[in-house]
Amino acid sequence: MSIEIESKSTQRRTLVHWFRKGLRVHDNPALLQVFDVARTAPHKYSVRPIFLLDPGILDWLQVGANRWRFLQQSLSDLDNQLRELNSRLYVVRGKPVELFPKLFERWNVELLTYESDIEPYAVQRDAAVQKLAAVHQVHVDTHCSHTIYNPEVVMARNLGKAPITYQKFLGIVDQLKLPKVREKPEKLPEEVQPSEDALELADASVYDCPTLEQLVKRPDELGDNKFPGGETEALRRLEASLRDEQWVASFEKPKTSPNSLEPSTTVLSPYLKFGCLSARLLYERLKGILARHPKHSKPPVSLVGQLLWREFYYTAAAAEPNFDRMLGNAYCIQIAWNEQPDHLAAWTHGRTGYPFIDAIMRQLRQEGWIHHLARHAVACFLTRGDLWISWEEGQRVFEQLLLDQDWALNAGNWMWLSASAFFYQYFRVYSPVAFGKKTDPTGAYIRKYVPELAKYPANCIFEPWKATLSAQRDYGCVLGKDYPHRIVNHDIVHKKNIKRMTAAYKVNREVRTGKQEPDEELDEPTGKRKASSIKSGRAAKRRR
DNA sequence: CTCAATGTTGATGCT
DNA sequence: CAGCATCAACATTGA
């Protein structure tokens, strides 16, 4: 017994950084902490940066093949980055709560660091891990570095609540100090290399990065690899995006095109989502450029404005565990959406019969990224504009297909577009015909992604039902045979849906002001009061 | 309490 | 082709 204790006390202690999001070595305060501590006593410590991969989640998580590939590439690049710093990435297979007690013991862990996260799943997981760490006398330090501003700090400046308008949000963060962007850590001394544990002695590849074959269960669903994952590519893309300072300084999102053949915006979003690129670094770089160009665009339309939209939604989401649902969500207006599986399937797979909508949905499936305004067009079409299907259904499809899918942003934008929260001018409806014509009058985008319509001329490619049957035959694409008839008539349904929105808002208003109880069909028993408490202080006062 | 101003990105038709 | 009014009309904010 005494020998055991003796050997344990002389065994080196391990410092662990746990990667989740934040798949980078630059501006990573939690990683930096572990490296810094190791350097204070290189003979006492060894360092193990880890990523946990639960093989069970591959089957149920809403992640499409393209995003699995992005993750695989990001992990592989991260491993390379760490090897240049005399370390490596240790990918450990299993569930966090089952793994950590074993790792704490196996590696004699002293310190665990990670980047904090506001997603409910992560909050719950991290609380459980912190408990386990306490039991094993492992010190835990967390750092807020996925966002520029800490959502908790923003709320503290707004009477403890998340601001629900962007302008209010701007007013608050304008008073906050900017976080310091951190350099990537310096190389670790050789002595810090951990000696092989029992598992590594048995199998030297036990902690290796997953291969593409291991992560992508449906390789047939992989599209072109237009946006490879990883920090290296993120930083390359950052530099390419910032090269033209005039463009950066004059950027206005609403003036960029949703249907250009090549992206009209930076496509840094997937890299921000996985943390391959630090939002704080991007912010600092943008500020530097704007300082050299006094006449520049401003939030909400500027590039800085785009980053702050991300912050806005993160703050709102941090305050609401049900942010991704209609029921029990304090921000969200309650609407009796229809269930319409055939229409949902048509939208999901780009078979609505509206070429502009279908082209966007097919680009999304193939490439994993679509322009923000393209997301507006298809989201409006699915929900309040045409199909009257719940935003949660659209959220699910985006969650699967978008490389940049980020819980807070996806839910927040779906609520915005469906006029369920944050945005209320539901009478502004996108036309699935007219909207795309503004930036692509010839329909080149449609020809690329809906090739069966390639021979349709510009004057009817946005509305192929206007071509006569003989013309359709000439163009080699007959509606109902080679391409679907439109599943709804926009001119008719969008007017009907505006009236439905008016009715839904009226009910919601009466519920809020206490004139009427919420619809029992819509509300969960526990969600009743909550729906009104944040929405309106006026209503809450009246109730008291 | 009321009331006016405001809101990242609508469509249409007119000047 | 940019700018503007109109359509019908929302919630939030702040005076």
Side-chain angles (χ1 to χ4, degrees), chain A residues 300-354:
Chain A
V301 295
S302 64
L303 278 175
V304 164
Q306 305 311 302
L307 260 185
L308 294 179
W309 277 107
R310 178 175 181 270
E311 304 282 318
F312 170 76
Y313 285 129
Y314 252 89
T315 309
E320 176 53 75
N322 292 324
F323 199 65
D324 61 350
R325 305 214 297 265
M326 180 179 79
L327 292 173
N329 181 337
Y331 300 111
C332 188
I333 285 172
Q334 306 296 302
I335 294 174
W337 304 105
N338 281 345
E339 275 193 47
Q340 184 101 226
D342 55 334
H343 280 182
L344 176 59
W347 178 85
T348 302
H349 293 95
R351 297 190 307 252
T352 66
Y354 282 90

Side-chain angles (χ1 to χ4, degrees), chain A residues 35-323:
Chain A
F35 273 51
D36 285 347
V37 173
R39 243 186 295 278
T40 61
H43 296 284
K44 184 182 165 197
Y45 292 123
S46 59
V47 167
R48 286 189 187 260
I50 62 169
F51 183 86
L52 304 189
L53 187 65
D54 181 355
I57 64 173
L58 266 72
D59 301 325
W60 61 262
L61 212 62
Q62 295 280 334
V63 179
N66 286 336
R67 195 152 88 255
W68 280 124
R69 174 172 60 190
F70 194 98
L71 174 65
Q72 193 274 333
Q73 293 166 335
S74 298
L75 292 175
S76 174
D77 185 69
L78 183 60
D79 187 36
N80 290 336
Q81 299 300 313
L82 288 166
R83 282 174 196 271
E84 284 181 20
L85 301 174
N86 270 341
S87 181
R88 59 161 288 191
L89 184 65
Y90 297 84
V91 178
V92 192
R93 275 81 174 167
K95 294 184 202 308
V97 288
E98 290 168 14
L99 280 177
F100 271 113
K102 294 181 196 161
L103 295 179
F104 291 154
E105 290 301 313
R106 192 185 304 157
W107 293 342
N108 192 21
V109 175
E110 179 173 305
L111 170 68
L112 170 69
T113 72
Y114 57 83
E115 180 181 73
S116 56
D117 194 348
I118 58 94
E119 295 185 24
Y121 157 77
V123 169
Q124 202 179 9
R125 174 198 61 193
D126 296 349
V129 169
Q130 292 228 13
K131 265 192 188 158
L132 293 168
V135 169
H136 291 82
Q137 293 180 304
V138 173
H139 186 77
V140 178
D141 273 323
T142 67
H143 300 256
C144 176
S145 51
H146 187 63
T147 50
I148 301 163
Y149 300 104
N150 186 336
E152 299 296 330
V153 172
V154 177
M155 282 189 260
R157 292 281 187 115
N158 190 49
L159 305 171
K161 291 186 292 186
I164 54 169
T165 67
Y166 186 78
Q167 295 303 330
K168 196 93 185 288
F169 177 84
L170 279 185
I172 291 161
V173 298
D174 271 354
Q175 308 162 14
L176 296 178
K177 265 193 314 206
L178 274 180
K180 209 173 104 192
V181 176
R182 313 299 297 269
E183 289 300 315
K184 84 172 177 185
E186 284 172 36
K187 262 191 181 185
L188 282 175
E190 291 294 340
E191 310 92 275
V192 169
Q193 284 285 343
S195 45
E196 287 174 311
D197 69 20
L199 292 185
E200 286 169 305
L201 286 171
D203 173 6
S205 68
V206 66
Y207 299 130
D208 281 2
C209 280
T211 62
L212 199 62
E213 291 69 34
Q214 286 168 341
L215 276 193
V216 180
K217 295 294 175 196
R218 292 180 190 147
D220 54 304
E221 291 177 3
L222 285 173
D224 294 346
N225 195 6
K226 268 188 102 166
F227 312 107
E231 179 177 13
T232 305
E233 173 64 13
L235 294 174
R236 188 203 65 75
R237 200 165 186 99
L238 171 74
E239 296 308 327
S241 301
L242 301 186
R243 198 164 296 141
D244 184 350
E245 296 200 351
Q246 265 315 324
W247 183 82
V248 170
S250 61
F251 182 94
E252 291 183 37
K253 182 65 140 291
K255 290 186 178 166
T256 59
S257 166
N259 48 2
S260 50
L261 296 184
E262 287 305 318
S264 61
T265 52
T266 65
V267 199
L268 290 172
S269 53
Y271 304 94
L272 290 166
K273 176 254 147 73
F274 282 95
C276 301
L277 174 65
S278 159
R280 313 178 330 163
L281 173 66
L282 174 56
Y283 196 41
E284 188 181 78
R285 293 291 304 277
L286 289 172
K287 289 260 173 183
I289 291 171
L290 298 187
R292 292 192 282 278
H293 298 263
K295 263 188 60 131
H296 58 73
S297 56
K298 291 188 172 59
V301 295
S302 64
L303 278 175
V304 164
Q306 305 311 302
L307 260 185
L308 294 179
W309 277 107
R310 178 175 181 270
E311 304 282 318
F312 170 76
Y313 285 129
Y314 252 89
T315 309
E320 176 53 75
N322 292 324
F323 199 65

Side-chain angles (χ1 to χ4, degrees), chain A residues 217-508:
Chain A
K217 295 294 175 196
R218 292 180 190 147
D220 54 304
E221 291 177 3
L222 285 173
D224 294 346
N225 195 6
K226 268 188 102 166
F227 312 107
E231 179 177 13
T232 305
E233 173 64 13
L235 294 174
R236 188 203 65 75
R237 200 165 186 99
L238 171 74
E239 296 308 327
S241 301
L242 301 186
R243 198 164 296 141
D244 184 350
E245 296 200 351
Q246 265 315 324
W247 183 82
V248 170
S250 61
F251 182 94
E252 291 183 37
K253 182 65 140 291
K255 290 186 178 166
T256 59
S257 166
N259 48 2
S260 50
L261 296 184
E262 287 305 318
S264 61
T265 52
T266 65
V267 199
L268 290 172
S269 53
Y271 304 94
L272 290 166
K273 176 254 147 73
F274 282 95
C276 301
L277 174 65
S278 159
R280 313 178 330 163
L281 173 66
L282 174 56
Y283 196 41
E284 188 181 78
R285 293 291 304 277
L286 289 172
K287 289 260 173 183
I289 291 171
L290 298 187
R292 292 192 282 278
H293 298 263
K295 263 188 60 131
H296 58 73
S297 56
K298 291 188 172 59
V301 295
S302 64
L303 278 175
V304 164
Q306 305 311 302
L307 260 185
L308 294 179
W309 277 107
R310 178 175 181 270
E311 304 282 318
F312 170 76
Y313 285 129
Y314 252 89
T315 309
E320 176 53 75
N322 292 324
F323 199 65
D324 61 350
R325 305 214 297 265
M326 180 179 79
L327 292 173
N329 181 337
Y331 300 111
C332 188
I333 285 172
Q334 306 296 302
I335 294 174
W337 304 105
N338 281 345
E339 275 193 47
Q340 184 101 226
D342 55 334
H343 280 182
L344 176 59
W347 178 85
T348 302
H349 293 95
R351 297 190 307 252
T352 66
Y354 282 90
F356 178 57
I357 299 298
D358 293 341
I360 294 168
M361 293 305 292
R362 294 184 196 188
Q363 182 190 19
L364 170 62
R365 185 167 292 274
Q366 283 165 38
E367 300 175 5
W369 181 89
I370 49 178
H371 186 278
H372 186 66
L373 290 177
R375 301 180 197 202
H376 277 215
V378 296
C380 185
F381 188 88
L382 179 73
T383 58
R384 66 185 167 86
D386 296 81
L387 301 185
W388 200 257
I389 289 172
S390 169
W391 60 270
E392 291 178 53
E393 299 289 350
Q395 175 185 236
R396 236 188 300 281
V397 173
F398 274 25
E399 184 179 345
Q400 190 199 352
L401 297 178
L402 277 173
L403 293 176
D404 61 32
Q405 190 282 143
D406 203 334
W407 186 76
L409 280 59
N410 195 27
N413 278 311
W414 272 102
M415 280 188 271
W416 180 290
L417 247 300
S418 60
S420 296
F422 312 118
F423 171 82
Y424 310 97
Q425 290 152 283
Y426 56 76
F427 37 87
R428 291 189 179 172
V429 177
Y430 289 87
S431 162
V433 171
F435 186 66
K437 283 184 185 173
K438 285 191 287 190
T439 43
D440 179 29
T442 67
Y445 176 81
I446 292 169
R447 288 191 188 85
K448 177 173 179 182
Y449 292 102
V450 191
E452 58 265 46
L453 293 171
K455 287 185 186 159
Y456 274 64
N459 66 18
C460 64
I461 192 164
F462 281 86
E463 38 209 327
W465 52 88
K466 287 197 170 166
T468 63
L469 185 58
S470 72
Q472 293 175 25
R473 288 204 185 97
D474 288 347
Y475 305 146
C477 180
V478 174
L479 299 194
K481 180 168 153 272
D482 307 307
Y483 181 73
H485 292 292
R486 52 183 170 166
I487 56 174
V488 290
N489 185 328
H490 173 77
D491 294 332
I492 294 167
V493 294
H494 95 272
K495 285 181 188 153
K496 180 178 159 195
N497 288 344
I498 287 175
K499 292 207 160 51
R500 281 167 152 171
M501 288 300 289
T502 306
Y505 269 52
K506 184 165 179 286
V507 171
N508 193 269

